[in-house]
Amino acid sequence: MRRWHGLDDVPADWGRSVVTIGVFDGVHRGHQRLVDRTAELARELGSPAVVITFDPHPDEVVRPGTHPPLLCTPKRRAEILGELGADAVMVLPFTLELSRMGPDEFVQSVLVDRLHAVRVVVGEDFRFGHKAKGDVALLQELGGKYDFEAEGVPLVADGRPISSTLVREHLAEGDVEGATRLLGRPHRVEGIVVRGAQRGRDLGFPTANLESLPHTAIPRDGVYAGYLNCAGYAELQGDRSAGHPDARWPAAISIGVNPTFEGGERTVEAYALDRDDLDLYGAHVGVDFTARLRDTLKFDTVEALIEQMRRDVDRARELTRE
């Protein structure tokens, strides 16, 4: 799959393509329907399927200070889109200049002049151009002008129409099972493993302490079951003959400020079940959340905390047994 950052990365000889457009934060089931339809049309027409997404999030540019918590990194977003059938993903830098483009100018400069769109697939609530003046009807009208067809795909609903906002609401409530249902996979928080207070190791449960990216959507404080993922783990351990295989371990995950120890900084920590031999400092890892176990609690004694952690680990082991 090709990855482009901005219009100038598109090859000069790029032919006609089938295009879908959106922020695609999280690539939830509604987004997946758009990409599926785009890939289907691309196969029928013998053209590549191109996904246009944006970075930073348009809200932060149009209304500074309102950046929503992000459900996945731009890199992860592109990987998922590729797995769904995109032949190329273009991350279009969202700037004030871009936000001020009129609908016609956006269509001509992006869809026509660069990507030579033959079909354009969007959600039925799609808006574009300065002050969101463009909608599906206008896109179809401009398609007639510039020789492409456009279609609006009905939204996917799960009680309410599935949206990135709805996924964030589930995560803010600690409902990671609901988020999984909307995303079609567990929600993942990515980050670099850094040295923390190392209390987990002292208590018998060594954890990977994540330093996540700004604006990451982190579930509500609590204890969860899930998985700890490390891409290229074998190479990290010095095994260059293993072909960079990834590692994935069942995990118990804690989010919060460690109230038993009067902690002040909110952390995301993952304990790979029954593994005390992992050295992940400096590694880029992803933590997948599959089930919520309990709220964060303050214990009167360290012994009481350890006993509860043992119960949490046992429960996480049951829920992640494959």
Side-chain angles (χ1 to χ4, degrees):
M1 182 192 72
R2 295 171 181 252
R3 297 184 188 183
W4 302 320
H5 188 78
L7 295 174
D8 290 342
D9 274 0
V10 181
D13 59 351
W14 188 255
R16 305 211 72 179
S17 53
V18 180
V19 183
T20 186
I21 315 168
V23 177
F24 293 109
D25 183 26
V27 198
H28 54 62
R29 285 167 44 210
H31 296 147
Q32 291 166 30
R33 174 178 283 184
L34 290 179
V35 181
D36 286 346
R37 177 58 177 158
T38 302
E40 177 185 26
L41 286 171
R43 288 192 298 269
E44 290 177 2
L45 297 172
S47 299
V50 179
V51 177
I52 298 175
T53 182
F54 302 95
D55 186 55
H57 195 285
D59 285 357
E60 181 61 19
V61 175
V62 177
R63 294 178 294 277
T66 64
H67 200 308
L70 294 178
L71 300 174
C72 61
T73 65
K75 180 180 178 182
R76 172 75 171 152
R77 190 189 317 164
E79 289 172 350
I80 298 169
L81 291 168
E83 292 168 0
L84 291 170
D87 296 300
V89 173
M90 180 168 67
V91 179
L92 197 57
F94 199 90
T95 61
L96 277 175
E97 181 182 14
L98 182 67
S99 74
R100 291 166 179 162
M101 277 190 182
D104 193 304
E105 183 183 3
F106 176 85
V107 165
Q108 183 175 5
S109 63
V110 177
L111 300 180
V112 179
D113 292 347
R114 288 290 182 171
L115 296 176
H116 311 293
V118 61
R119 295 285 184 90
V120 179
V121 179
V122 295
E124 63 182 4
D125 62 345
F126 178 68
R127 309 290 298 195
F128 69 105
H130 186 50
K131 295 185 178 180
K133 291 179 180 178
D135 57 11
V136 175
L138 179 57
L139 185 63
Q140 291 171 331
E141 180 182 327
L142 292 171
K145 176 180 178 180
Y146 291 112
D147 192 29
F148 66 80
E149 294 182 25
E151 65 177 80
V153 176
L155 304 181
V156 178
D158 188 283
R160 292 163 55 187
I162 294 177
S163 66
S164 298
T165 298
L166 184 58
V167 178
R168 294 186 195 107
E169 289 176 6
H170 280 279
L171 294 174
E173 296 168 358
D175 181 14
V176 295
E177 294 93 335
T180 296
R181 188 175 65 249
L182 301 179
L183 291 169
R185 66 183 183 284
H187 174 61
R188 175 174 293 184
V189 171
E190 296 186 49
I192 302 297
V193 178
V194 297
R195 293 189 183 276
Q198 296 188 309
R199 292 194 186 98
R201 184 171 297 278
D202 294 339
L203 298 174
F205 303 95
T207 59
N209 187 2
L210 270 69
E211 184 178 81
S212 57
L213 296 173
H215 307 299
T216 296
I218 296 175
R220 175 184 167 188
D221 287 4
V223 179
Y224 297 84
Y227 295 88
L228 175 61
N229 306 273
C230 183
Y233 176 71
E235 185 179 26
L236 183 69
Q237 300 304 301
D239 184 0
R240 298 182 180 278
S241 66
H244 315 288
D246 300 342
R248 182 173 185 261
W249 304 281
I253 308 151
S254 174
I255 301 175
V257 296
N258 296 315
T260 301
F261 297 98
E262 304 297 337
E265 184 176 348
R266 190 175 190 232
T267 61
V268 178
E269 301 176 76
Y271 166 58
L273 303 185
D274 308 313
R275 297 295 300 264
D276 59 5
D277 59 334
L278 300 178
D279 182 4
L280 298 174
Y281 290 120
H284 183 97
V285 301
V287 175
D288 293 340
F289 294 83
T290 57
R292 183 177 176 88
L293 302 182
R294 61 174 175 86
D295 290 340
T296 299
L297 303 172
K298 181 175 181 178
F299 294 87
D300 294 331
T301 66
V302 173
E303 290 74 19
L305 170 61
I306 292 174
E307 183 57 34
Q308 180 60 58
M309 291 172 72
R310 287 175 179 152
R311 289 194 290 269
D312 295 337
V313 167
D314 288 343
R315 182 62 177 148
R317 187 180 293 110
E318 292 175 8
L319 293 172
T320 57
R321 185 173 291 123
E322 297 179 346

